[in-house]
Amino acid sequence: MTDFVGRRRELKELREDIARTGLDTLSGRKAKAPRARVLLVAGRPGSGRTALAEAFVREVAEEYPDGVLRTRLTAPGGETVATERAVRGLLEALGRRTPPGAGEDELSSALRTALDGKRVIILVDDAADPHQVDALLPDTPECLVVVTAEGPLTGIPDVRPCTLGGLDTPSAVRMLVHRIGDTRVTADPRAAEALAEECGGQPAALVLVGGWLAAHPKASVADVAKQLHDMPAATGGPLARCFRLVYENLPQPAQRTLRLLPLAPAGTIDSHTASALAGCSVAAAQSTLDDFAALGLVRHAHDGLFLLPGSLAPLLHALLEAKERPAEVQLARARMLERTVRLLHSCRAMADEDEDAVREVLDGLPRALRFPDRRAAATWLDTRLPALCAAASLAVADGELDTLARRLVAGLVRALAEHRGTAGAAPELYGLHRLVLDVAERRSLHREQAAALLNLADLDAETGRTQEALERYRAALVAGKAANDPYASGRAMESVGGAYQELADWHRASDWFGRALSQALARGERADEARLYGRLGNVHTYAGRYGDALRSWRAAAAGYRKLADVPGQAKALSEMARVQEYAGRPEESLHTCREAVELARRVGDQRLQAALQVRLADTLDRLGDPAAARLHRSAADRLLGDDPAACEIRSGSD
């Protein structure tokens, strides 16, 4: 069932606007950069602008075979959605991976590239300003962008708004019929017309009053029209009066639940959110939300989610401020965040392969917080992710719930990493690590600050922003020293060296690896020693300092031998053989390589054996023994087939 009725004139106007000659071609001028046609549906919240835009998109969708993309630029609670988040969502809908930490310009460019040559419709709901929309516009006239907003989009050329007022009376009456059936309307058509007029033809008001009448089948349309008419002018406009009618007829517990719903992050609510906010059972919260949906106070979304209508957000915020004490509001918010933390704990546990570990976690949770299986947990995480990220942001911004905020962010990071993997969740993790950094800096938590900076720098480095990574690694070193945390300090020094290595600054890279190595030696951290000797060996090799490289790789091999790490020792020896060959010492290289092959054979590492066999073959070729070289290549083929990529040796220092 749909509440969309009427608006035939507006639909015709929008269709005609697609083909209208643009301002840039009125005098035969060519557009400097042809872009998608932008159609604007303007109207106040509750005017039915989104319903009209959706109806129009359905009418013209067949003309755009590559599909419809949707994004919302204002959350139901009234908060502006970050442009980067909106663009990232569109790219993900197109199946394009987005680099973590990418800025608006980079993401917008990626979106335009992804849309090049496509015929799609982009439906942009509730735009707050033209800058948001401009970042989404494709550089192709074959696409269509339909925008809803409260007012004009000054700054985007050639956009003529389709401005909405109230529905005409016959359409408003038909909308009532959709909600309550035709019996009471047919019995008193004049009363139905009067009620439509009291609602100002405003769809949001008609939804509320229609929902109330549907819930009260014995109430007459005339009585409701009179109640609205008799409300004092101070109550507000039609929407405020209809809202008051519905709200004042709710039971007291439902009234309080409704007042607290604006606290739900991103205006997204489920039974757990409502239960935690109101302090009631999950079953009671679900029943209340279903009642609210029938009344038009919330909208059904998907997977058990409800959305708070943006048109009601100001009215609910006003009630929240007027009726709830600040201490009670903060307590409700804390209950909601605590519930979210426990759900994330349960969600993460479901990804564990150890059934005993899963059972142990679930045994400590109420039945209502348990997921039936891993798939259900992953679906919950996917569908709630925007709200979960919003909850984390709001908790950090609050400033008074930092302990809960830190637990929430940590829980979300772990759940994402378990279900999506670090690489798959990188864009979300980047934002979460920034939130951790905000709290750590505000509270002077140097250890957490160092960890957040290291995590952010790692993501920067993985996406090629080496200079930004270097700056964050240096800042992490300062924070690690302030926290007297040798692990963070050592990790930061090693990472600074890695950044300089990426920048091909071999002198600084070896200096920083040397600093990290000195700390590891002082603390007797043997595994770190062996790895850092290998990293030094790599840098010396790149710099052509083969003597230093050989000493470092020899020390790395010795370190791995003391650790009984045979694969690590074999890889270190293979790197020694490579350096010996570069240094013009092929006989030594041959001997070292054979030693490495024996170690690889001992641990059954066929991939490493094959790679070393290829290296032996190359060395024998250079020594003038092609027959022996062929034997080693044949051995490599037998181990892994003849895929050259399978025989690539990767240093243990990488």
Side-chain angles (χ1 to χ4, degrees), residues 344 348 408-418 425 428-429 432-433 436:
L344 285 167
R348 181 190 62 80
L408 175 59
V409 173
L412 185 49
V413 166
R414 293 190 188 106
L416 283 167
E418 289 288 343
E428 290 80 14
L429 294 178
L432 293 170
H433 292 318
V436 173

Side-chain angles (χ1 to χ4, degrees), residues 474-510:
R474 284 182 172 278
L477 177 58
V478 173
K481 288 182 176 178
N484 195 26
D485 184 343
Y487 169 78
S489 300
R491 166 108 142 71
M493 285 189 284
E494 181 177 351
S495 298
V496 169
Y500 278 123
Q501 179 177 337
E502 186 67 25
L503 294 169
D505 189 335
W506 314 125
H507 175 73
R508 285 191 173 91
S510 60

